[in-house]
Amino acid sequence: MSISRSEKLASSLQSVLDSKLVSLSQHLHEITIVVRPQDLLDVAEALRDHPDLNFDTLIDLCGVDYSAHTHDSFAGEGRQNRRFAVVYHLLSVNLNHRVRVRVFADDNELPIVDSVMGIWPAANWFEREAFDLYGIVFFNHPDLRRILTDYGFIGNPFRKDFPLSGYVEMRYDADQKRVIYQPVTIEPREITPYVIREDFYGEGKKVD
């Protein structure tokens, strides 16, 4: 019996990565692997260089904030209540297959993972975005600066505990004749009430 392309790739990943593979899952013909942060660079090199894998292209990477609202099973095995992860999407142009790699940062207060720029230079601006928006530090990145937010911006706007209103607002000051920042003046409010209807709402009820 012949095996599918995804089954063949899954077998190659398990064989090549061996003990460095925390988990491997398949959903909708997509393969996701989880690796430990201390194994990230070794795994990345193997993914790029092994002839059965040959992932020569980094499509993108992004940060993820699982916060406290997500249970372990949602994020896959190996999360262990860690809050932040980095997800990499890889493509092998030569072998025409893809894989998703997830690595959880050990420290929830100061999430740090190694930079993969030395393996896939395309990671440069993606790692700066994840640093800016999630506060994830990429060790050994040569120029880790904010890329999307303003100079002096406080906080990381994609973290789930970042307020929707932000911390400051901007206005023109007529006395100073320039734009200034000040603490937000609007108060949080609930615009649309959150309503959960009972099961079978409106079905089989008699109208008088």
Side-chain angles (χ1 to χ4, degrees):
M1 184 176 71
S2 62
I3 62 174
S4 66
R5 287 171 51 82
S6 62
E7 289 173 334
K8 181 180 179 182
L9 174 58
S11 175
S12 297
L13 288 166
Q14 289 170 330
S15 173
V16 173
L17 301 182
D18 195 24
S19 62
K20 290 185 171 58
L21 189 63
V22 175
S23 72
L24 183 152
S25 59
Q26 296 187 58
H27 183 63
L28 299 175
H29 306 292
E30 295 180 356
I31 295 178
T32 301
I33 62 173
V34 177
V35 300
R36 289 177 286 270
Q38 60 267 33
D39 295 329
L40 175 61
L41 294 183
D42 289 340
V43 168
E45 286 186 348
L47 291 172
R48 183 193 61 183
D49 297 338
H50 195 280
D52 291 340
L53 303 176
N54 198 206
F55 287 103
D56 50 9
T57 303
L58 173 71
I59 300 296
D60 63 26
L61 75 83
C62 61
V64 182
D65 179 4
Y66 288 100
S67 190
H69 304 291
T70 309
H71 49 77
D72 275 6
S73 60
F74 182 80
E77 297 176 21
R79 180 184 170 222
Q80 298 172 336
N81 291 322
R82 289 175 290 184
R83 176 176 174 179
F84 295 100
V86 180
V87 176
Y88 307 80
H89 290 105
L90 305 175
L91 165 68
S92 170
V93 176
N94 186 37
L95 301 177
N96 190 25
H97 54 208
R98 298 168 187 264
V99 71
R100 179 182 300 111
V101 181
R102 181 183 291 126
V103 57
F104 292 97
D106 285 330
D107 191 338
N108 290 344
E109 300 300 321
L110 181 60
I112 301 175
V113 299
D114 286 315
S115 170
V116 297
M117 265 194 63
I119 298 166
W120 297 292
N124 186 355
W125 281 39
F126 293 130
E127 290 182 346
R128 288 180 62 178
E129 285 180 354
F131 167 71
D132 191 354
L133 301 176
Y134 291 94
I136 298 172
V137 176
F138 291 88
F139 186 67
N140 278 336
H141 189 290
D143 187 17
L144 199 60
R145 288 180 292 157
R146 287 186 181 273
I147 193 173
L148 297 173
T149 55
D150 200 359
Y151 299 108
F153 190 88
I154 299 172
N156 305 102
F158 276 16
R159 289 191 174 192
K160 290 183 178 175
D161 54 2
F162 189 84
L164 290 177
S165 61
Y167 294 112
V168 295
E169 63 186 19
M170 187 173 58
R171 70 172 176 86
Y172 178 75
D173 187 281
D175 296 332
Q176 301 183 49
K177 300 188 183 307
R178 67 181 180 87
V179 173
I180 63 169
Y181 287 95
Q182 64 183 25
V184 291
T185 55
I186 60 174
E187 295 182 2
R189 64 183 187 277
E190 186 175 325
I191 298 174
T192 305
Y194 185 58
V195 177
I196 300 177
R197 291 179 173 167
E198 65 271 20
D199 292 339
F200 311 111
Y201 174 81
E203 295 181 11
K205 289 187 177 180
K206 183 179 178 181
V207 178
D208 295 328

